[in-house]
């Protein structure tokens, strides 16, 4: 049964026609994913699977959703970020009944977590068999839901570690939600977890959270790290970012990059993509790193490796891509150049210390345009802040381009089908695995025609037909 549009909650279902035009156009740029859809859909390998997806509700994601639906899955979806939804696209997917959608651009923390909860609750109360997560919020909710029930049963109170979570506002929202759910069904999350076959995680920060759970023995279901596939980390992350950091910056600002001094904090795959883009645009690009190996790599690429404190007064634009928190702090912002641009390309909104900025005495923010703020300090000097410290590529712009998303989403589709096919295999302790290499190979094969590449067939080591899924 396909979901009725009234089961979804989007900003305005009336925008579905516009959204459909965008999705159709996007399909044209995602030929690899469409080829995968056309190949696999006759066998409906995801028939019977309930999938919850938590991933930016963009045009590219719409093509992913409609591929999973064509393969037979029953889908519920929300965005992984309160500001990244493209409202017309969300309307188009809901109208087409491809999934139940709970997503709109500009959500409060309450609304965001309400959407996550709705996306993992089918009518009748059942949860998902398969999860597609981005950053790990749904995985986190399920795990703390189980902790909450066990703790309440034993002690009559929530687990102490839940109370100290940061940011405080979000953990209060989660706690309220868990309390309500506990009153309705005190075994809800434990019942739900029984039916989860596994999660496919899209991002590096989500995989980091999963590995922490794996190492402290608290992981409740198997996890697949899509982010560790080569076509994801070394293609989507690097080249997608190389493109989308510029897309985001140029949508937000009328800035000439040539001749500017830019500091990239973090030289992982995302930071590397940012640095490549800045260099190509003619900026003077500096890199800050905490990891000696990555610092050396950046140096070998010709970037000056330095610290934020050393270059504070000469930098025109600061971009974070570390996955860490508190990278740009008040003490830095107070001493930056007049109207220095500050933006984040890493996960979540913690790399720039927004909480301190908001609370700092005498600061004032004005909105220059949506997602661009000018913050003025008591002494009269000011900085330009993008997307309130959230992902600037997805909030100021449209995120990574369709071609690289097509590659990453082909990995997602093949890995979801792989998990579902093997759902009855005896499970030992849940672990975090990388999808089989043949999934990476297949995703690449689907996309070679998109860049006009012709593969040389090795006489010694040809790709065998059983590598083709
Ligand atoms: N919840 C975190 C997650 C980081 S999102 C946060 O909001 O900060 C980073 C992910 O967004 C990347 O792994 C990338 O695969 C995905 N992404 C980038 N461009 C996208 C697009 N156009 N559509 C959908 N997802 C996109």
């Amino acid at each position: 049964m396909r979901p009725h549009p009234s089961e979804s909650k989007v900003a305005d279902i009336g925008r579905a026609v516009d959204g459909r035009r965008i999705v159709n156009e996007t399909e044209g740029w995602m030929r690899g994913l469409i080829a995968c859809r056309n190949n696999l859909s006759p066998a409906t390998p995801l028939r019977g699977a309930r999938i919850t997806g938590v991933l930016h509700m963009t045009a590219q994601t719409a093509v992913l959703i409609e591929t999973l639906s064509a393969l037979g899955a029953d889908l519920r979806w929300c965005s992984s970020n309160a500001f990244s939804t493209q409202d017309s696209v969300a309307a188009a997917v809901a109208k087409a009944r491809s999934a139940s959608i709970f997503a709109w651009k500009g959500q409060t923390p309450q609304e965001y977590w309400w959407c996550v909860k709705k996306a993992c609750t089918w009518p009748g109360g059942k949860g998902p068999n398969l999860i597609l997560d981005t950053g790990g919020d749904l995985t986190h909710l399920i795990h703390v839901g189980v902790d909450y029930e066990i703790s309440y049963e034993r002690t009559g109170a929530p687990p102490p570690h839940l109370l100290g979570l940061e940011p405080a506002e979000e953990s209060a929202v989660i706690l309220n939600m868990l309390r309500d759910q506990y009153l309705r069904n005190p075994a809800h999350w434990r019942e739900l977890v029984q039916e989860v076959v596994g999660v496919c995680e899209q991002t590096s920060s989500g995989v980091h959270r999963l590995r922490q759970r794996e190492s402290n023995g608290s992981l409740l279901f198997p996890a697949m790290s899509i982010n560790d596939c080569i076509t994801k980390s070394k293609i989507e992350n690097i080249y997608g970012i190389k493109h989308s950091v510029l897309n985001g910056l140029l949508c937000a600002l009328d800035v000439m990059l040539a001749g500017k001094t830019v500091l990239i904090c973090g030289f992982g795959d995302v930071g590397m993509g940012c640095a490549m883009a800045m260099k190509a645009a003619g900026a003077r690009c500096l890199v800050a790193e905490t990891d000696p190996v990555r610092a050396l790599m950046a140096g070998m690429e010709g970037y000056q490796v330095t610290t934020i404190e050393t270059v504070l007064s000469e930098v025109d634009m600061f971009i974070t891509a570390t996955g860490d928190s508190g990278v740009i702090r008040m003490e830095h912002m107070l001493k930056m150049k007049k109207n220095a641009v500050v933006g984040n390309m890493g996960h979540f909104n913690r790399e720039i210390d927004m909480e301190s900025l908001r609370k700092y005495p005498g600061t004032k923010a004005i909105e220059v345009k949506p997602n661009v703020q000018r913050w003025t300090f008591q002494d009269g000097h000011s900085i330009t802040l993008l997307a309130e410290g959230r992902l600037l590529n997805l909030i100021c712009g449209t995120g990574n381009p369709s071609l690289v998303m097509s590659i990453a989403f082909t990995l997602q589709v093949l890995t979801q089908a792989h998990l579902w096919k093997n759902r009855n295999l005896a499970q030992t302790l849940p672990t975090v695995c990388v999808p089989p290499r043949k999934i990476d190979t297949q995703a690449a094969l689907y996309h070679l025609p998109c860049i006009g590449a012709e593969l040389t067939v090795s006489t010694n080591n040809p790709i065998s037909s059983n590598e083709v899924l």
Side-chain angles (χ1 to χ4, degrees), residues 58-74:
T58 63
Q60 293 76 25
T61 301
V63 182
L64 167 63
I65 292 173
E66 296 189 339
T67 302
L68 293 167
S69 170
L71 267 55
D74 176 0

Side-chain angles (χ1 to χ4, degrees), residues 55-56 58 60-61 80-81 134-135 202-203 232 236-237 346-348 391 393-394 398-400 405 409:
L55 208 175
H56 311 289
T58 63
Q60 293 76 25
T61 301
S80 55
N81 183 299
T134 310
Q202 173 85 356
T203 75
K232 169 71 167 84
E236 195 227 289
N237 289 2
H347 292 151
F348 302 108
L391 282 167
N393 61 341
L394 273 142
T398 48
N400 287 351
M405 292 321 299
F409 289 168

